[in-house]
Amino acid sequence: MTAQHNLTIAEQLERDLGDPHDPASLLSFQRILRYDELEEFPHELVGELQRRAVHEYCLPAEWGGRAGDVETGFLLLRLVARRDPTTASALMLTDLAFMPTWIGGSDEQRLRFVSMINNGAKMAWGLSERHHGSDVLANDTHAEKVDGGYLLTGEKWLIGMATLADVVTVHARTGARGGPGDWSVFAIEKRLCSAGSVREVPGERLHGLRALDLSGIRLDEVFVPESHRIGTEGQGLELVLKSAQVARTTISGIALGAADTALRVTCDFIVTREIFGKTVDQIPYTRRQIAESFADLLLAEAVATGGVRGLQACPEQAGVLSAIVKYFVPTSLERTLAQLSLVLGARLYLREHPHYGIFQKMLRDILVSVFADGNTVVNLKSVGAQLETILSRGQTATPEQREAAAAKVALMYDIDAKLETWVPARQQLFCRDGDIALVALPAAIERLRELALTRDGEQRGWLERSADLAERLLGQADRLAAEQRDAQQRLGRDYGSSAELYRLAEQYCALHAGAAIIHLTVNSAAALSDPFPDGAVLLLCLERVWRIFHPTETSTGVAEIDRVAEVLLLLHRDRKLFSHWQIQLQASGDAGTTE
């Protein structure tokens, strides 16, 4: 789909949902906060979104959904999350639980479960267990083969929608050898199970997403017919890992949506609040804080854009991209919200404030994107395990390989480029060609210099300085490669579990983020609307990456910060998403009557 098509769908949803500050709107902050305060699942809100077929954009069109491009569903999830991450999570959980069927199920299974979802059924993804967490190969739930099917026994815990779900997709052991081929996936339809064989484990009270059903199920020799096994016996781990790639990438939309609202209500405050004879947005320190927060959001968006579109454009990259997205986006935006809380001040603590009360919910809810579907440690370990290949490919790629990488990167980061229909089964578990964002970075820097020549005055200078800083960032790849080789030689077998591996993985994720914002700028330049691409914004984004390596070095001064703040406040004034996407929002920035 083209950028305009996605824009049309997104803006229609915005109009349907209305201004979230208006108590009469479908997903008003007032209504959302009431569900959160009561810790009551938002059936009403989920139902409104289902009636508008939002969930169908995450289900395959061939079997009754509307999904052709993963980006469309991701964008809609992000817009829902800017109102309520809980409701967005509830929708996402059903789509995630269906993902193993989409990847490895039969045509009959796909048609059946899509039809059930479109008729209101909820699904849960029964993966984690109380004593094993992210270590799915240590799970105890097992499936005993019997005539006509299997008997499943075990417990799944901290499962989103486990109590409310009509269908639970369960990962269970079917072999005894102890290898990766000992696992299979089953779809358990509760209404078809013997009474008492499926018992719900009581839900947990939550710090964030308070209205979400996060509970568990206990299975006691539950008979599951062979027709409800997803994929072949022994294919379970593959289905789990490929489903996780989708989840880890798309959950970043919840973090982006929460950050948008947090930044928006902060802007509402700073443009109206006067202190020491001037509005808060005129205070230099505050201007830098909000400018940096805006840059962090755009940087995270660039990483997510490459990851989401990469599932479709370059499925062979899914193994590395999904882990980078899942680490970098939530982790960086969690820090962004912490910085914004300092700007918002006391209003952060006012839970029932009619305008700013939503901030504290976003501050709590964004944490789900940090730990769900693989936490920070899991994703850094995944990046670290591939780091040697990633860095060596970046250094040794031939001109032909760099040209091929640039062509693929163009599809990933040009938001107006049409993609082939998404087939999640094509995603690869390991990246054998390295990170093509790094391989294609030298060519992107040259294109950035060419873009600078098409601009005048300060914009040309800012873009040229961005290219210079990008060259310095590229040099960090050589340092990381040298440190990685040294650590591997020095630590030997201990390297794979060392703190050094995680530190190097963290720094590589930052380097990837710098590459992502450059790729998005040069490949989407023709598709972006004013004020993008902007040289000062890009320079600050790259400075944010550079300061991860050199915390005391800055590349921007007063002029650049003033320009970034100007772009931010322009989008705020015009009610546009804080994004490279120019999406017209239904938003109210007038908090004056609620002070």
Side-chain angles (χ1 to χ4, degrees):
M1 296 182 183
T2 63
Q4 185 57 51
H5 185 275
N6 282 334
L7 193 69
T8 299
I9 294 173
E11 291 186 344
Q12 181 59 57
L13 177 63
E14 274 291 313
R15 287 191 293 271
D16 286 348
L17 298 183
D19 178 3
H21 286 294
D22 178 2
S25 68
L26 290 178
L27 265 71
S28 71
F29 288 146
Q30 183 182 82
R31 189 174 303 176
I32 287 163
L33 287 171
R34 184 176 71 247
Y35 281 114
D36 191 70
E37 194 72 22
L38 296 174
E39 300 182 25
E40 179 182 328
F41 186 82
H43 291 284
E44 174 192 18
L45 308 185
V46 173
E48 293 289 356
L49 294 172
Q50 289 175 323
R51 276 189 282 277
R52 286 158 179 79
V54 173
H55 65 288
E56 293 184 20
Y57 288 97
C58 297
L59 299 173
E62 186 176 1
W63 310 110
R66 303 190 186 194
D69 282 356
V70 62
E71 189 172 33
T72 306
F74 171 79
L75 195 57
L76 297 183
L77 177 74
R78 178 178 177 180
L79 294 179
V80 173
R82 88 173 189 88
R83 290 169 165 80
D84 184 20
T86 302
T87 302
S89 296
L91 282 178
M92 180 183 175
L93 285 166
T94 288
D95 294 327
L96 171 60
F98 171 75
M99 188 55 63
T101 302
W102 189 348
I103 294 170
S106 66
D107 292 351
E108 181 182 358
Q109 289 170 335
R110 291 166 179 161
L111 185 62
R112 174 179 177 78
F113 290 124
V114 170
S115 177
M116 289 178 65
I117 294 169
N118 286 341
N119 284 298
K122 297 178 176 62
M123 295 183 70
W125 184 203
L127 181 59
S128 63
E129 297 185 3
R130 189 182 302 268
H131 301 295
H132 304 299
S134 298
D135 186 4
V136 296
L137 291 180
N139 281 356
D140 294 320
T141 299
H142 59 275
E144 178 187 353
K145 191 76 172 69
V146 295
D147 289 344
Y150 298 81
L151 294 178
L152 267 66
T153 300
E155 181 187 88
K156 296 295 181 178
W157 182 70
L158 285 188
I159 306 301
M161 306 287 287
T163 298
L164 296 176
D166 303 284
V167 181
V168 183
T169 308
V170 172
H171 172 255
R173 183 186 295 275
T174 48
R177 294 171 300 177
D182 286 349
W183 303 93
S184 301
V185 172
F186 302 87
I188 297 178
E189 292 187 50
K190 290 181 180 179
R191 67 182 182 84
L192 301 180
C193 299
S194 301
S197 62
V198 178
R199 289 174 289 168
E200 281 79 18
V201 177
E204 300 290 335
R205 297 192 67 189
L206 306 175
H207 173 67
L209 304 184
R210 290 176 176 172
L212 189 69
D213 168 24
L214 189 65
S215 50
I217 57 167
R218 190 171 292 119
L219 311 173
D220 183 11
E221 295 191 341
V222 175
F223 177 74
V224 180
E226 191 154 351
S227 62
H228 278 51
R229 187 192 67 225
I230 307 301
T232 61
E233 186 173 298
Q235 193 183 0
L237 184 61
E238 176 192 348
L239 298 179
V240 165
L241 295 177
K242 289 185 176 180
S243 297
Q245 290 172 347
V246 179
R248 291 173 181 180
T249 306
T250 55
I251 199 174
S252 63
I254 292 179
L256 291 169
D260 184 278
T261 291
L263 181 55
R264 195 166 302 277
V265 296
T266 303
C267 287
D268 294 346
F269 169 69
I270 66 173
V271 299
T272 57
R273 174 66 169 171
E274 289 191 8
I275 187 169
F276 305 131
K278 60 178 68 174
T279 54
V280 175
D281 65 300
Q282 295 175 310
I283 299 172
Y285 180 60
T286 300
R287 287 177 76 79
R288 176 168 276 278
Q289 286 180 301
I290 63 166
E292 289 178 347
S293 297
F294 180 43
D296 289 343
L297 181 51
L298 294 179
L299 196 61
E301 178 185 58
V303 174
T305 297
V308 168
R309 291 179 62 88
L311 292 174
Q312 196 166 341
C314 304
E316 66 275 11
Q317 290 276 299
V320 65
L321 289 179
S322 60
I324 292 174
V325 172
K326 183 60 171 63
Y327 163 72
F328 185 85
V329 175
T331 303
S332 63
L333 292 182
E334 181 189 3
R335 290 194 296 263
T336 299
L337 264 66
Q339 177 160 297
L340 289 173
S341 69
L342 299 177
V343 178
L344 195 59
R347 283 157 185 76
L348 162 69
Y349 293 92
L350 305 180
R351 287 167 57 184
E352 297 184 357
H353 193 290
H355 195 88
Y356 301 115
I358 194 65
F359 188 100
Q360 51 83 24
K361 176 170 164 51
M362 295 301 174
L363 192 63
R364 289 184 282 107
D365 286 0
I366 198 172
L367 296 176
V368 70
S369 61
V370 176
F371 70 81
D373 297 304
N375 61 28
T376 295
V377 174
V378 169
N379 286 286
L380 282 177
K381 185 174 182 62
S382 179
V383 175
Q386 302 175 75
L387 199 54
E388 181 181 8
T389 298
I390 291 171
L391 292 170
S392 64
R393 292 290 190 276
Q395 288 185 310
T396 63
T398 65
E400 292 76 18
Q401 289 171 329
R402 293 192 186 279
E403 184 177 352
K408 292 180 179 180
V409 162
L411 289 175
M412 289 167 55
Y413 292 97
D414 179 357
I415 63 174
D416 203 34
K418 293 184 179 180
L419 303 174
E420 293 183 5
T421 300
W422 182 31
V423 182
R426 294 176 181 167
Q427 293 162 203
Q428 298 297 308
L429 301 182
F430 303 101
C431 185
R432 295 176 174 82
D433 298 325
D435 178 2
I436 61 174
L438 179 62
V439 175
L441 183 54
I445 295 173
E446 289 305 310
R447 291 185 61 188
L448 182 57
R449 295 194 186 280
E450 293 170 3
L451 179 64
L453 294 177
T454 67
R455 300 296 194 268
D456 298 318
E458 287 182 318
Q459 284 293 331
R460 174 180 290 191
W462 289 331
L463 289 171
E464 288 175 343
R465 288 166 57 194
S466 295
D468 292 339
L469 185 52
E471 292 278 8
R472 296 173 68 193
L473 278 171
L474 186 57
Q476 292 295 312
D478 294 334
R479 177 186 61 79
L480 286 176
E483 292 187 10
Q484 187 276 329
R485 289 191 298 269
D486 175 72
Q488 197 169 36
Q489 293 171 2
R490 178 165 37 85
L491 299 174
R493 289 185 177 182
D494 293 335
Y495 168 74
S497 58
S498 67
E500 188 77 354
L501 178 141
Y502 289 89
R503 182 185 68 82
L504 293 170
E506 286 178 335
Q507 293 195 16
Y508 182 78
C509 289
L511 180 60
H512 174 93
I517 193 67
I518 295 168
H519 288 310
L520 182 61
T521 299
V522 299
N523 287 291
S524 288
L528 299 177
S529 301
D530 188 64
F532 296 109
D534 184 272
V537 171
L538 177 59
L539 184 61
L540 183 57
C541 286
L542 293 174
E543 178 190 278
R544 298 296 288 164
V545 174
W546 183 254
R547 290 183 67 181
I548 292 175
F549 301 108
H550 300 280
T552 62
E553 292 186 25
T554 59
S555 300
T556 58
V558 174
E560 292 81 15
I561 294 301
D562 283 348
R563 172 57 186 170
V564 176
E566 179 186 348
V567 172
L568 167 63
L569 295 176
L570 173 67
L571 295 177
H572 174 256
R573 185 198 68 194
D574 292 345
R575 312 292 189 259
K576 296 291 184 68
L577 189 68
F578 294 141
S579 163
H580 292 91
W581 290 90
Q582 295 294 288
I583 297 176
Q584 184 64 58
L585 301 180
Q586 305 299 304
S588 173
D590 182 10
T593 59
T594 62
E595 289 297 321

